[in-house]
Every structure is written in structure tokens, then in C-alpha cells.
Amino acid sequence: MQSFAQPTDEVVAIVDNSVILKSDLEQGVAETEHQLKAQNKTVPPQQYLQMQVLDQLIVRQAQLEQVKRYGIKADEKTLNAAVLKVANQSGANSLEAFQQKLDAIAPGTYENLRNRVAEDLAIGRLRQQQVMSRIKISDHDVENFLKSPEGQAALGTQVHVIHMRISGDNADAAQQVAQQVKQSLSTSDDPKAISSKLSTAAVKVDGLDMGFRSLSEIPTELAARITPLQVGQTTELINVRDGIHVLKLLERKQNDQKALVPQYQTRHILIQPSEVVSLDRAKQMIDSLYKRAKAGDDFATLAATYSNDTGSARDGGSLGWVSPGVMVPEFEKVMKETPVGQVSQPFQSQFGWHILQVTDTRQQDMTKEVQERMARQILGERLFDTEVDSWMRELRANAYVEIKDANLDSKTQQKK
């Protein structure tokens, strides 16, 4: 954590290998008070507020210890973009103008804020890595979600439904008429005729052909009853405050839009630097193989003989059909830009030096895979916040924490 230590500062807590200073606590309390007042919320007693803020600082510091342990660091481009967003919110149009504005208030303010934003980005990445690895979503979970009203709505499923509502002061009479409505729906798709036939002075029957509606537009309670129906079936009687409802499913249609993904049938040769092959030597080797491939030597034979990617080398360098987002960015960029049948110029990735050849392209229907990926994302986001809380509690429990002032230790105060 970026500290703003004063000459007379003192340590209020030790967290693993780091400390939280009194000035850190005072700054946190001041920020929290300002936020509460801006939201027109009551500011709690000072001691309670200090304990709450200190606990938040401890959890933050425990996360920063993990950031250091795993070597997580925001890249300059991402950091600059995040700081610029803060700058724009304060009315500054550039980082330079923002720095001048902040440092005019107090020298070093911009650097302190930039460090704080860098810490926030690193903590965010840490949470993604640690928490997402704890979330387990099975194929069965995905299947159940896609069958649910929420999943069907997310897929853009539309249903054509007849909606009947039966109401009246006499509950028994309304129930009896509702049963007659349900029976009539088994042989008729005419809500007006059913309404006219079964309405009485004591019981009113309203009917409507709703046409095609997205499941997301239908009340959740009713959508949940419609989802499992087969075409031509009716729901059971649904008793709610405004009467008894019964629905009949006439038609169902899925979103016809398919997820067509470009795929590239690709093979490559990789030369990796090693203890015996320098980076320059790897570049020389790939240049030589490029010239041989361009001169007509069989690419598959060259790959099988020289490529350091042993998995693909056995198959002549073949990677099969490759979809976007699977390979590292440098590889994907060259793959997309290389005409079918041509050999790419040598290029470098984190794995070493490559040349590649695209032997064919196609548009592949990946609708099912895209839907399943969407379901996993929605389920993961649903579980993320809960799992973050659990992970942070574990992190706090496992961290070495020593609070110097007993008046600020929530555990000590609870014992009193």
C-alpha cells in the first residue's frame, strides 16, 4: 500500500511483511467520512469507524502481499488508461494536465494516486486469477442454466402463448371455472371464444393471444412455468394475487442468428531459444527454414525435422483448425494476415521464433460453443462476488496481523 508517512508517524498494524501507518488510517477514515456524508448517510462513532477502516486496510494489505508473491503488475498502457479515466472525471484532458493540477495542490500527489491505481489494478487481476480458479461450473450446471427461463431469455428464445386469467370474489367458483378454462385450452386456441363461453356474473375470464414474446419480457413466475412446456401443452393453474392464470404454449422459436467463426487450418515451425541456442541463433535458424520453405521444400517435412513444438511437429507442424482467441496475439495476427498457401515471414512470440502456413480457411458454426461459454460467464459472474468474500475472509484469517492499539482491534473489543 502507498503510505503517506509523516515525520511523527507510527505503526498501527503489521500485516505479514508490511505495515499500516497511522497516517494511512487517518486518510482512510477521512475518505470514508466524506463518502458517507456525500451519500447522506450517518457517520458511525469514531472508534467504530476506525476499526472498520483498519480492517479494510488490513485486507487490502494482505491482498497486496499476494500481489508481490505472484509478481502481478499492471502494464503501462493499462495503467495510463486507468489514470486518464480518473483525470477525465476530474476535468483534466491529459495525464500531463492532471499531474500539474494534482502536484499544484501538494508535490507528489499525482505519483501517490498513480501508485494507488496501479495497486487497484493488480488487486483486481489477483482476484480474477485466484477467485475464478475456485469457481467450479460443471457441464450439468451449464445445461440446466440454458434450459432455465433466464438461460432461454439470454439465448433470445421467443414463445407464442395464450394467456388466460380467471378472477372473482368466490374462490371456489373461480377455481372451478379455471379448471374448465384449462380443459377448453386443450382443444381450442381461441381465447376470446373461451372467455365468452365461460365468463359468468360471478367469475370473469380474460383471454389474450400474446403473440411472440421474448421470455425476458414475461414475468419471471410465468416464464418459469412456460419454459418446460411442449408445444400445445398448458400450465397448471397458477394462483396469484390478481386471480388464477393458465397459459398455453402455441409455438417456440430460438434466435436464428448463428455464431459463425472464421477458422484457419494452420501449421507452423517453432525455434525456441535455449541454453545452447541463443535468441540470435534461433532467428538465423528460422530465417534459413523460411528460405527453404519459400524455395519449395516440403513444409511438413521441415516442421517434423526442426520444429521445437514437439506436439505439432509429429503431425508436420499441423495445429488443426484454429479459432480466434486461441493463440497468442502475435501468432493470431500473422495467421489472419497470411494468404492461404503462403508461408509467413518469420515472427517472434513469447515462445520463440515462428513461421506458419495457412492451408485453408472456413466459417464454422460455433453457436453451441458460444452459448455454453455465455452460460459459464453468467454463472461465473453470479458466483464471483460470493466467492470473493469467502476468499478475502480466508486471506484475512491466514495473514499474520498484529494490531498495536487494542482499542482498534475488533476481536479485543468483542471480548469486553
Side-chain angles (χ1 to χ4, degrees):
M1 175 175 176
Q2 181 65 30
S3 298
F4 303 90
Q6 304 298 322
T8 58
D9 220 342
E10 62 184 77
V11 174
V12 294
I14 299 172
V15 183
D16 290 330
N17 297 315
S18 301
V19 298
I20 296 173
L21 301 174
K22 183 178 181 181
S23 55
D24 298 327
L25 178 59
E26 290 174 346
Q27 181 188 358
V29 168
E31 290 175 355
T32 302
E33 285 181 335
H34 177 75
Q35 292 170 0
L36 291 172
K37 290 176 181 177
Q39 298 168 3
N40 293 320
K41 294 182 178 179
T42 303
V43 177
Q46 190 68 12
Q47 183 180 355
Y48 178 81
L49 183 60
Q50 287 179 330
M51 286 193 296
Q52 292 297 308
V53 171
L54 179 58
D55 197 57
Q56 293 169 7
L57 292 174
I58 289 170
V59 172
R60 178 181 176 84
Q61 195 59 50
Q63 291 176 88
L64 289 173
E65 288 293 304
Q66 294 292 305
V67 164
K68 288 189 288 185
R69 176 183 174 186
Y70 291 106
I72 299 172
K73 186 178 180 181
D75 61 86
E76 283 297 305
K77 182 179 179 180
T78 302
L79 177 56
N80 286 337
V83 176
L84 183 59
K85 185 176 181 180
V86 178
N88 292 338
Q89 290 172 349
S90 71
N93 295 322
S94 68
L95 293 179
E96 292 77 11
F98 191 44
Q99 182 173 4
Q100 292 174 2
K101 178 181 178 180
L102 292 183
D103 287 346
I105 300 172
T109 302
Y110 174 79
E111 182 182 358
N112 289 331
L113 181 140
R114 186 178 176 87
N115 289 337
R116 177 69 177 234
V117 172
E119 289 178 352
D120 290 342
L121 290 171
I123 287 174
R125 189 174 301 175
L126 173 74
R127 288 181 179 179
Q128 283 290 331
Q129 291 178 0
Q130 297 297 309
V131 175
M132 289 307 293
S133 66
R134 293 161 60 106
I135 296 175
K136 306 300 180 185
I137 300 170
S138 68
D139 292 343
H140 187 61
D141 294 332
V142 171
E143 182 181 353
N144 285 341
F145 174 79
L146 291 175
K147 290 179 180 178
S148 71
E150 184 183 357
Q152 291 288 301
L155 294 177
T157 299
Q158 292 186 325
V159 290
H160 182 188
V161 173
I162 292 175
H163 184 190
M164 308 296 297
R165 180 171 70 93
I166 304 93
S167 58
D169 294 334
N170 187 315
D172 291 338
Q175 191 74 20
Q176 185 175 0
V177 172
Q179 290 290 354
Q180 294 173 344
V181 169
K182 177 176 168 59
Q183 186 175 358
S184 296
L185 282 172
S186 65
T187 57
S188 173
D189 296 337
D190 189 342
K192 289 184 178 179
I194 295 173
S195 176
S196 176
K197 177 182 177 182
L198 296 178
S199 288
T200 68
V203 178
K204 183 180 180 182
V205 178
D206 296 306
L208 176 66
D209 185 331
M210 297 175 65
F212 274 105
R213 300 282 186 92
S214 170
L215 279 171
S216 61
E217 299 174 3
I218 298 174
T220 304
E221 171 65 19
L222 300 182
R225 305 296 184 96
I226 296 169
T227 301
L229 294 180
Q230 300 295 320
V231 171
Q233 290 184 333
T234 60
T235 65
E236 296 300 320
L237 301 183
I238 306 168
N239 289 276
V240 292
R241 182 176 301 177
D242 65 343
I244 304 169
H245 296 251
V246 59
L247 302 101
K248 180 177 181 178
L249 178 62
L250 298 182
E251 299 175 83
R252 175 189 276 115
K253 65 180 181 181
Q254 303 285 348
N255 185 345
D256 293 332
Q257 186 175 359
K258 294 186 180 297
L260 296 177
V261 176
Q263 290 187 323
Y264 306 81
Q265 195 172 48
T266 308
R267 53 189 182 184
H268 82 133
I269 298 173
L270 168 66
I271 302 298
Q272 286 182 311
S274 64
E275 293 181 359
V276 295
V277 178
S278 67
L279 186 60
D280 289 340
R281 176 57 182 156
K283 177 65 165 63
Q284 293 171 6
M285 293 172 66
I286 204 71
D287 285 342
S288 174
L289 291 168
Y290 170 71
K291 291 176 183 177
R292 291 177 61 179
K294 292 291 286 184
D297 283 14
D298 182 62
F299 193 100
T301 302
L302 293 175
T305 306
Y306 297 103
S307 180
N308 294 138
D309 181 2
T310 56
S312 66
R314 290 192 296 267
D315 196 19
S318 175
L319 298 170
W321 288 101
V322 181
S323 299
V326 174
M327 311 304 287
V328 293
E330 300 88 350
F331 193 103
E332 180 171 316
K333 181 176 184 295
V334 175
M335 178 181 70
K336 289 180 175 180
E337 295 173 350
T338 302
V340 172
Q342 298 295 310
V343 177
S344 74
Q345 291 277 347
F347 63 95
Q348 189 178 15
S349 78
Q350 66 196 63
F351 300 106
W353 282 95
H354 308 252
I355 56 174
L356 64 78
Q357 184 180 50
V358 177
T359 58
D360 199 2
T361 61
R362 69 182 182 187
Q363 294 286 324
Q364 181 71 2
D365 184 358
M366 303 286 285
T367 304
K368 183 174 185 292
E369 290 80 0
V370 169
Q371 290 175 350
E372 290 175 350
R373 186 161 61 247
M374 175 203 67
R376 289 184 184 277
Q377 181 178 349
I378 292 173
L379 292 172
E381 290 173 353
R382 182 185 294 172
L383 296 170
F384 186 80
D385 289 343
T386 301
E387 197 61 42
V388 163
D389 291 341
S390 175
W391 173 72
M392 289 202 302
R393 284 196 298 272
E394 289 181 20
L395 196 65
R396 171 69 170 84
N398 293 330
Y400 170 78
V401 177
E402 180 183 345
I403 298 176
K404 296 294 186 178
D405 186 347
N407 291 324
L408 299 177
D409 190 338
S410 57
K411 291 182 179 179
T412 302
Q413 293 301 309
Q414 288 172 2
K415 294 177 181 178
K416 291 184 177 181

